[in-house]
Amino acid sequence: MTITSPQGAPIFVILPDAQEVRGRLHARRQVNDGWLYQVGILVWQNGTNGSAEPAEQRVWVSPAHARPVPGVSYEHVPTHRLSATDAPSPERLPAWTLQYLPHRPGHPGATLLHVVGCTPSDRTLTREEALAALRQPRTAACIECDAARSLTPE
């Protein structure tokens, strides 16, 4: 039996504590050292009037954190392969931007570092500025655009 879905294909997602849950595979992306998979799992989020509502949370994971469901076809999942122009050249060095996430009750504000193009921004950072920003409390590199990997020397 082959199962496909325009909203992603079923997949097993292995959580950090080794639990395995059923999720959806939304996209595949080839990177220099393998593949990443954009998966979504349903979790609860605070709704209106103190209620809890289901909401999908999407993240990019390595193959070690995703396992195919037997009998499911993944041929219709969007797949982005590396091309010769995807590798940065000296003429096309990466630049970075910061996204400030506001403080919410019970959650302190945070900052995300992105490669230019991932999130709109009016200011770009050099490599040194990006590394300095990552050393600040509550700052993390975006996993969608793989900002951390873009900062490591080849």
Side-chain angles (χ1 to χ4, degrees):
M1 174 168 78
T2 300
I3 304 167
T4 61
S5 168
Q7 294 85 23
I11 194 162
F12 292 112
V13 179
I14 296 92
L15 301 178
D17 65 357
Q19 289 184 71
E20 192 172 286
V21 297
R22 197 150 184 162
R24 308 294 288 170
L25 176 63
H26 294 284
R28 299 178 282 197
R29 179 172 67 193
Q30 187 178 25
V31 293
N32 287 334
D33 61 350
W35 289 87
L36 292 176
Y37 302 104
Q38 185 185 45
V39 298
I41 60 171
L42 282 179
V43 296
W44 295 106
Q45 73 176 8
N46 291 333
T48 57
N49 302 325
S51 65
E53 300 172 349
E56 184 181 53
Q57 297 295 312
R58 291 187 186 187
V59 295
W60 287 94
V61 298
S62 71
H65 298 102
R67 188 172 63 79
V69 174
V72 173
S73 171
Y74 297 100
E75 67 185 30
H76 294 93
V77 173
T79 302
H80 309 281
R81 297 184 185 280
L82 282 179
S83 70
T85 59
D86 289 333
S89 67
E91 301 83 39
R92 204 170 55 116
L93 292 174
W96 299 267
T97 62
L98 291 176
Q99 175 187 14
Y100 299 100
L101 304 173
H103 172 78
R104 299 180 290 142
H107 300 282
T111 305
L112 279 177
L113 177 75
H114 298 276
V115 172
V116 165
C118 181
T119 299
S121 179
D122 57 352
R123 180 176 178 262
T124 60
L125 305 173
T126 65
R127 182 176 187 276
E128 292 74 27
E129 291 171 323
L131 288 169
L134 275 177
R135 289 191 285 272
Q136 300 304 309
R138 292 189 306 276
T139 300
C142 174
I143 60 173
E144 293 278 332
C145 64
D146 210 6
R149 179 170 298 161
S150 71
L151 286 165
T152 58
E154 296 290 325

